[in-house]
Amino acid sequence: MRRRQKVIRRRRLFVGCEGESEQGYVALLQRFADERGNAVQVDGKVITHAGDPLAKIKRAIAIAAHNEKGPKPAYSASFIMLDTDLMGQNPRRDAEIPALVARHNFIPLK
């Protein structure tokens, strides 16, 4: 009688990426994790190519929420990877970012 191979459930991580270069970096991290046998699935999603930082973060939150629907397990953690080149152009909108990120348990990557 053969033993069933135990299926290891991977922890899902969401990374909202500003563009393709950040998404490529996330794919590289996934390959490193796979090579080391880490049980994680890193979902790097391009969130948008235009807009201010607040709009990009709102889009990342919407994409993460949409990707959590269905039979897959919820994300263990959510990250946002943005360039800081547009920060400071609209201080009023920028001031909303920390509370929004905290409310949705996103971890900013710099």
Side-chain angles (χ1 to χ4, degrees):
M1 180 179 248
R2 285 181 28 181
R3 291 181 122 190
R4 287 187 173 178
Q5 186 176 4
K6 185 176 181 179
V7 176
I8 298 172
R9 182 161 271 206
R10 291 175 171 232
R11 289 181 57 194
R12 289 180 71 210
L13 305 174
F14 175 84
V15 181
C17 304
E18 186 169 12
E20 283 84 12
S21 61
E22 290 87 0
Q23 191 177 32
Y25 179 70
V26 170
L28 179 64
L29 291 176
Q30 180 66 63
R31 284 197 300 271
F32 288 154
D34 291 343
E35 288 173 3
R36 295 197 186 296
N38 293 331
V40 296
Q41 174 63 47
V42 185
D43 293 337
K45 304 292 183 188
V46 175
I47 52 176
T48 184
H49 296 284
D52 70 334
L54 180 61
K56 291 176 183 183
I57 290 170
K58 287 180 178 180
R59 179 75 177 133
I61 291 166
I63 291 171
H66 176 76
N67 288 342
E68 283 191 313
K69 294 178 182 173
K72 293 181 180 179
Y75 289 116
S76 296
S78 296
F79 303 88
I80 185 83
M81 190 182 315
L82 297 176
D83 293 335
T84 57
D85 56 342
L86 296 178
M87 291 297 289
Q89 292 183 358
N90 191 333
R92 184 184 54 78
R93 286 181 60 83
D94 292 350
E96 296 178 42
I97 292 173
L100 182 64
V101 168
R103 186 169 50 248
H104 291 278
N105 297 316
F106 267 68
I107 301 166
L109 300 173
K110 297 180 180 182

